[in-house]
Every structure is written in structure tokens, then in C-alpha cells.
Amino acid sequence: MLPIFLLLLAGAVLMALRFVQLRRALLRARAGEATFRLLAEHGRDAAFLLDATTLELRYISPAAQRLTGYDQAALREHAARLAADVPARLQRWRDGDTSRLTLLREVELPHADGRLLALEISSTIVPASARERGITIVGTVRDVSAAHAQEAEREKEQKRFASMLSHEFRTPLATIDGAIQRLVSTSRDADEATRKRYVKIQTAVDRLLAMIDDYLSPERMAAIGRERAADGIAPLALLQQAAATVPASHRVQLELDEDLPARLRCDVPGMALCLKILLDNAVKFSPPGSSITVSGKLVPEGGVALCVRDAGPGLREEELAQLFEKGFRGTDATHAGAGLGLYMARAVVDVHGGSLQGHNLPEGGAIFRIWLPLPG
């Protein structure tokens, strides 16, 4: 009988130890959930715990009520509707699709007062351990309505700018186009060289009008910065193409850091146009025979800096704040123009999420600096 008693006693001890272990695991889980709730109570974003099996909210922070205007009962109804895709997501995750472990998505939800909210929901599947039951989805909800409104206003401004710019170019081109057509129709007796010049002018006008339709349409300008090519262009190639536009009256020097990224993610025609505007200005305001430096380097604040430096008289300090305003022409400007070049250049850089600045150098001359962020 003694061996049986000892076996029963040993089994009882093991069961007791097992119970203690389970209780400790439960206490740790409760402590972890309590910590989560404590952090969520003080967070700006709404936090939630969702039972992935029943699609019921185990917890949602008070921020959700402040965010949406709904009470707990209404929030649970909305949560069940928004979680309708969870079973399919879980099945894909169980089948080995690890991309479903964490998801970030945007949804629209009407506020209790009727206005439409744009919400960013981040959620992560938390697998159940051997001591736990069920699978939990942990996540946060953030209101991005203001960011969407700013983006919409920004796109409207870009379209307004493109419409204005298209009009500014089309008006003089229409005058030239009409004049050259009249010359062609009334100069049948002109010599061959003159007729060739007329054809050349007409071809150039047609090309400029086609460029306006293709590149300076409101929709095209609004898309810059959103629909950039994934690989963009090599910094050296971009700067070499820009330097090639400088006339023989000036020398061009290229300076590139060795640690520049292999490619810049950007709208290539847009950045080429921006650099051409800066180089054209450098040519106009620096003496013939002088050197213009085009450089590219990584900068401490992150991103890439593309700079155009000239050896001219520099910028008037009192005019620095107006450099990029629409229609502004400096006191020293002697060349024909509408004051749109720098305004257009900054608009292109802005939609890339970058910045464009101009200032004087201690040794003389002016420098214009384009800063572009790098992915990540």
C-alpha cells in the first residue's frame, strides 16, 4: 500500500505545483493587462484589446469616447463591424502568412455629431500561450482627419499654382504661335533659310505647349511627390544632366560625397526643372567665365542636400525673405522674366517633402540649397 500512497502523494504535489504555476501565469497576465490599461488610460490615441474569436472588445480606453463621441455600447457595435475581416486574417496568419501579424489601415467612421472621421487603426495579433485561452488583438486608433484635410488643401494649392503657371506660359506662347502662323502664311516668297527659321520657331512653340499639357497640368503637379518612381535617379546622373544645361560662357564644377545613396527617390523631371531654374539664375547673376559649383552630400539633419553655388555679387539681404514669392523680381534683375522661376522651384521641392533656401556666402557669391528627405 505504501508505494501507492507515495504515488498519490507525488501526484498531489505535482498538481499543487501545477496549480501554483497556473496561478502565477494568470497573475502575470493580469498584471500585464493592468499595465496596458494604465498606459492606455493616459494615451492620446485610443487603445483596445479585442477577443479574436468572439470579436468582442475586452477593453477600450477612454480616449475612444473622446475621439468619436460614442458611449461604450456604441463603440462595441462599431468594433464588431470593423473587425469583420479578423477571422480571414487569422486563418491567413495560421497558414503562415506573417504579413498579417501586424496591420495598419485607414477607415472612415461617422462621429456622433455627424462629421466624418478618418481613423488610422494599427493592430497586432498576440498568440495565446499554453497557459492562456484564445487569441487577442491589441491595437491603437488615431484620428488623422486633420492630416487628410491638410493634404487636401495642399493638393488644391498645387492645382491652383499649376493653373496659374500654365496660364502664364500659355499667354505669351499663344502670341508667338499666332505670329509665326501669320508669317508662314504670308511669306511664300521668302528664301529657304527664312522658311527654315519659321519652321524651327513653330516646332519649338508646339514642343513647349506639349510640355505644358504633359507636365504643368494641375493633376500632374498635384501628383508630384505622391507618385514618384520607386528607384528615382542616381544623384550623379541628376546633377550631370543639370550641369549640361549650363552654357559655355560659364564653367561648371561637380562635387559629390562618396556616401551618397545609390539613387534618389524623386520625380525626376520635376527635380531636373528645379535644378535648371537655379542654374539659369546662377548664369544670369554671375560674370562670364566664372565658375558655378553643383554639389550633393548627406547632411547631419538627415536627407540629401543638392546645392548650386555661384561667384556673383550675392543676394540683397533685405530681399532674402521675398526670394520665393510669386512674381517677385530682385532689384538687380536686368533680364526679362515674370518672377516665377524660384517660386516654381520651391513648389516642386515642397511637394517632395523637402525645402529650398538661398543665402549669401562669407567668401562672396550666393548658394541655393535643396534638401530632400531619404526614405526611412
Side-chain angles (χ1 to χ4, degrees):
M1 295 292 294
L2 186 60
I4 296 176
F5 172 77
L6 291 177
L7 287 174
L8 291 173
L9 180 62
V13 171
L14 288 174
M15 289 181 64
L17 289 174
R18 179 64 172 169
F19 175 78
V20 170
Q21 290 173 345
L22 287 173
R23 180 172 177 78
R24 286 177 178 175
L26 180 61
L27 290 174
R28 283 197 299 270
R30 287 178 177 174
E33 185 169 321
T35 302
F36 172 82
R37 289 172 181 253
L38 182 62
L39 292 173
E41 298 291 325
H42 296 84
R44 180 177 298 179
D45 299 334
F48 65 88
L49 294 172
L50 180 77
D51 188 311
T53 304
T54 64
L55 304 185
E56 292 182 0
L57 279 175
R58 288 172 49 190
Y59 169 78
I60 188 163
S61 66
Q65 292 178 268
R66 296 194 299 268
L67 183 65
T68 64
Y70 293 116
D71 58 21
Q72 286 283 335
L75 285 172
R76 292 180 186 282
E77 291 179 6
H78 285 296
R81 179 174 58 82
L82 293 174
D85 64 335
V86 167
R89 175 183 172 187
L90 282 178
Q91 187 58 51
R92 290 182 60 178
W93 171 69
R94 290 188 180 106
D95 292 341
D97 185 356
T98 57
S99 67
R100 318 303 292 176
L101 186 64
T102 296
L103 284 183
L104 181 66
R105 62 172 178 156
E106 288 189 6
V107 300
E108 290 185 339
L109 180 74
H111 190 277
D113 62 13
R115 58 192 170 92
L116 196 62
L117 293 173
L119 302 178
E120 182 183 79
I121 302 178
S122 174
S123 62
T124 301
I125 297 173
V126 180
S129 69
R131 302 183 182 92
E132 297 172 328
R133 296 170 59 188
I135 297 176
T136 302
I137 292 183
V138 179
T140 58
V141 181
R142 173 175 297 180
D143 183 6
V144 293
S145 303
H148 280 211
Q150 292 175 356
E151 179 63 27
E153 183 57 34
R154 184 178 180 181
E155 184 167 327
K156 287 180 182 177
E157 177 59 29
Q158 291 164 7
K159 289 185 177 181
R160 285 194 293 267
F161 164 74
S163 296
M164 177 275 299
L165 190 62
S166 178
H167 173 75
E168 291 288 341
F169 275 100
R170 283 183 180 279
T171 300
L173 284 173
T175 302
I176 297 171
D177 188 45
I180 195 63
Q181 288 187 42
R182 285 193 298 272
L183 285 172
V184 170
S185 63
T186 59
S187 59
R188 293 187 179 89
D189 298 330
D191 58 79
E192 183 66 20
T194 300
R195 287 197 298 272
K196 285 184 177 181
R197 282 196 294 271
Y198 290 163
V199 172
K200 187 175 181 180
I201 295 171
Q202 183 69 65
T203 302
V205 170
D206 291 342
R207 180 170 175 269
L208 286 171
L209 289 171
M211 287 175 64
I212 291 173
D213 291 334
D214 182 56
Y215 189 73
L216 294 182
S217 67
E219 292 75 18
R220 179 73 176 100
M221 286 297 291
I224 295 176
R226 286 203 318 262
E227 300 176 359
R228 299 194 291 270
D231 54 352
I233 187 172
L236 176 60
L238 178 65
L239 296 182
Q240 283 178 332
Q241 290 175 18
T245 66
V246 176
S249 59
H250 290 71
R251 293 177 286 109
V252 183
Q253 294 183 349
L254 285 177
E255 297 179 355
L256 274 82
D257 281 359
E258 293 182 356
D259 54 355
L260 277 173
R263 303 186 78 77
L264 284 178
R265 185 172 178 267
C266 65
D267 183 89
V268 178
M271 291 312 305
L273 175 64
C274 182
L275 286 167
K276 187 177 188 310
I277 290 169
L278 299 182
L279 285 166
D280 285 348
N281 274 359
V283 170
K284 291 176 183 176
F285 294 102
S286 58
S290 62
S291 180
I292 297 172
T293 302
V294 183
S295 62
K297 61 181 179 179
L298 288 175
V299 287
E301 63 268 33
V304 172
L306 306 177
C307 301
V308 174
R309 186 170 73 243
D310 64 47
L315 307 164
R316 289 182 178 265
E317 294 292 334
E318 65 273 16
E319 295 178 350
L320 287 178
Q322 301 171 274
L323 276 179
F324 302 101
E325 292 182 3
K326 181 172 60 178
F328 175 74
R329 284 173 55 77
T331 306
D332 298 328
T334 58
H335 304 81
L340 294 173
L342 291 178
Y343 176 69
M344 180 167 58
R346 188 178 65 173
V348 172
V349 175
D350 283 348
V351 295
H352 281 79
S355 62
L356 173 59
Q357 297 174 332
H359 60 85
N360 292 316
L361 295 168
E363 63 272 22
I367 183 169
F368 284 86
R369 180 181 185 267
I370 300 168
W371 177 82
L372 296 175
L374 290 176

